[in-house]
Amino acid sequence: MSKFHVELKKVVDDTYDVEIGQGLVPALIDDLKNGLDGGVKKLAVITDSNVEEPYGGPICQALSDAGYQAELFVFPAGEKSKVRSVKEMLEDAMLAQGYRRDCMVIAVGGGVVSDLAGFLAGTFGRGVPFINYATTLLAAADAAIGGKTAVDTPLATNLIGLIYQPKKVYVDIDTWKTLPKEHLINGLAETVKHGCLADIELFEYLEKYTDRILACDPDACTYISERNCDVKYKVVMKDEREANLREVLNLGHTVGRAIETVSDYRLLHGEAVSIGLVAQAKLGCKLGYMTEAEVDRLVALLKQIGLPVTIPDYIDKDELVKKLYTDKKVRDGKLRFVFQKGIGDVMQFDDGRYAKPIAEEEIKDVIENM
């Protein structure tokens, strides 16, 4: 019997910039020409059917005009497309067009696009570079930044994926002006979450300037984009692989993701997260982590924005409770929740963890009364 020791240590620099501004396509092309492309001339622009006409197609054309071999790959819009079969369809389409390891992926769109395209980039050719060009407030606040990529399955959400960082993220505030108002409202849920867990000044800004944000005022939109980036950066920098601290970014998502799925995606992601934020706040209040006044303040802000704070009548609450067990924070079959500590902070428990095991009866009682 013999042994051979394989010593393999890596030092990886995954540093990247997030550029926030208006009309950023010229900046994207300049960055590529100045070295962001890494010498790659073949670009796969991945987008969905909603974003194809206003942004995906024009960006692909602009890249072609700049001398790149760029092709557009489109999938049906919506959370139901964030699955392995759609990823496979895109991969096969790229392979059929001659794409190999000498390419780059550019994700143009919202959270579903960045999750799906980022996961594809991380596995295509064992990993090719990618860029996120975020066209929604939701993507700018959450999905496009941080490197978490994944797909959903019938049994669980976001459990099949990897951590794979982009080369750069572009947050083009001009694109928000073309969003339906419901999608602007939807996108603010993740921003509220960031205020709740780490930034009371952001929370207070949302209370004061909701109307300006929903009117796509450039200064207001730039401000919340910068604050969102700051919150995510401080968390991801300390715990890129979600060993502990990064779980705080799942505040509101245990119930939120479950209710989104049980609703068969009638609820948008942000709408579901809004309800999840209320659920964790109400349970947190029972456990002594928030006061009733703080819960009321959170509920008032969500209502002011136009987000839901109660569980719709069409949701089967027993099915919802069962669905909680598909959450990625579940350990040894036990539900685990992240909780606010007042407003602007999160609970850290005696074992140093940020997620606390919760008995099913405790959360079931809250759900039954929502």
Side-chain angles (χ1 to χ4, degrees):
M1 178 175 156
S2 65
K3 292 183 181 179
F4 186 89
H5 177 64
V6 178
E7 185 170 339
L8 183 62
K9 297 180 180 179
K10 292 183 178 181
V11 177
V12 179
D13 184 357
D14 277 336
T15 303
Y16 63 93
D17 291 328
V18 179
E19 184 165 347
I20 302 166
Q22 299 170 263
L24 296 180
V25 176
L28 166 64
I29 293 172
D30 285 346
D31 287 340
L32 290 170
K33 288 183 174 181
N34 289 327
L36 189 61
D37 62 10
V40 168
K41 296 301 179 184
K42 199 164 189 176
L43 309 177
V45 179
I46 296 179
T47 192
D48 67 29
S49 54
N50 286 342
V51 182
E52 176 185 7
E53 184 176 342
Y55 303 115
I59 287 176
C60 188
Q61 185 61 54
L63 293 168
S64 295
D65 293 344
Y68 289 92
Q69 182 180 341
E71 295 184 60
L72 192 64
F73 299 88
V74 184
F75 63 88
E79 188 75 23
K80 289 184 178 181
S81 286
K82 203 177 84 171
V83 293
R84 285 174 286 192
S85 60
V86 173
K87 178 174 178 282
E88 179 184 2
M89 177 271 290
L90 292 168
E91 290 164 341
D92 286 349
M94 288 174 61
L95 290 170
Q97 293 297 323
Y99 281 77
R100 298 295 185 265
R101 298 191 67 186
D102 58 341
C103 72
M104 173 183 281
V105 169
I106 300 181
V108 180
V112 172
V113 175
S114 59
D115 276 0
L116 192 59
F119 186 18
L120 181 153
T123 58
F124 192 87
R126 301 187 186 92
V128 298
F130 86 106
I131 289 168
N132 275 328
Y133 195 98
T135 63
T136 68
L137 196 163
L138 186 66
D142 187 49
I145 300 166
K148 284 175 69 173
T149 71
V151 293
D152 301 332
T153 74
L155 297 177
T157 58
N158 288 336
L159 268 177
I160 309 297
L162 46 74
I163 304 292
Y164 195 66
Q165 301 294 351
K167 291 299 180 184
K168 186 167 180 176
V169 176
Y170 298 85
V171 176
D172 191 340
I173 292 170
D174 272 353
T175 64
W176 299 5
K177 297 174 184 177
T178 60
L179 291 172
K181 188 174 182 180
E182 67 172 346
H183 285 278
L184 279 171
I185 291 170
N186 172 61
L188 277 176
E190 294 284 358
T191 303
V192 173
K193 179 198 76 177
H194 288 155
C196 286
L197 69 89
D199 193 343
I200 192 168
E201 290 183 9
L202 174 58
F203 190 94
E204 291 169 345
Y205 189 90
L206 293 170
E207 288 179 313
K208 190 173 182 180
Y209 295 117
T210 296
D211 289 345
R212 285 179 58 187
I213 297 165
L214 293 178
C216 292
D217 174 83
D219 291 338
C221 292
T222 299
Y223 176 87
I224 65 168
S225 293
E226 290 172 346
R227 302 299 284 221
N228 279 322
C229 288
D230 185 63
V231 170
K232 289 211 71 172
Y233 166 70
K234 287 176 179 175
V235 172
V236 173
M237 178 182 66
K238 295 176 182 176
D239 182 17
E240 182 188 11
R241 299 285 164 177
E242 201 170 34
N244 183 22
L245 174 63
R246 188 165 177 166
E247 288 189 321
V248 303
L249 296 176
N250 283 300
L251 183 74
H253 281 60
T254 304
V255 171
R257 272 295 189 184
I259 199 170
E260 182 181 10
T261 306
V262 172
S263 77
D264 196 29
Y265 302 104
R266 287 169 64 179
L267 286 169
L268 297 172
H269 177 69
E271 294 172 333
V273 167
S274 175
I275 297 169
L277 286 171
V278 176
Q280 65 81 26
K282 287 181 177 291
L283 180 54
C285 184
K286 286 188 174 186
L287 297 173
Y289 309 145
M290 295 181 71
T291 65
E292 289 187 7
E294 288 166 336
V295 175
D296 290 344
R297 188 177 174 188
L298 169 59
V299 170
L301 175 57
L302 294 169
K303 285 182 175 179
Q304 175 179 304
I305 291 169
L307 287 162
V309 296
T310 58
I311 297 173
D313 292 338
Y314 61 79
I315 296 292
D316 184 320
K317 291 183 178 178
D318 289 333
E319 184 183 355
L320 174 58
V321 172
K322 291 178 183 178
K323 199 67 180 177
L324 297 177
Y325 287 93
T326 66
D327 184 69
K328 60 180 176 288
K329 293 186 297 301
V330 169
R331 299 287 187 275
D332 299 320
K334 295 180 181 178
L335 298 173
R336 297 165 70 248
F337 273 68
V338 175
F339 290 100
Q340 288 179 235
K341 181 180 180 181
I343 294 175
D345 201 357
V346 285
M347 291 297 302
Q348 185 176 18
F349 300 98
D350 292 339
D351 61 358
R353 309 298 296 183
Y354 290 89
K356 176 183 175 67
I358 293 295
E360 180 182 308
E361 292 74 19
E362 293 178 287
I363 186 60
K364 186 173 182 179
D365 181 61
V366 170
I367 287 173
E368 290 292 340
N369 290 286
M370 285 183 66

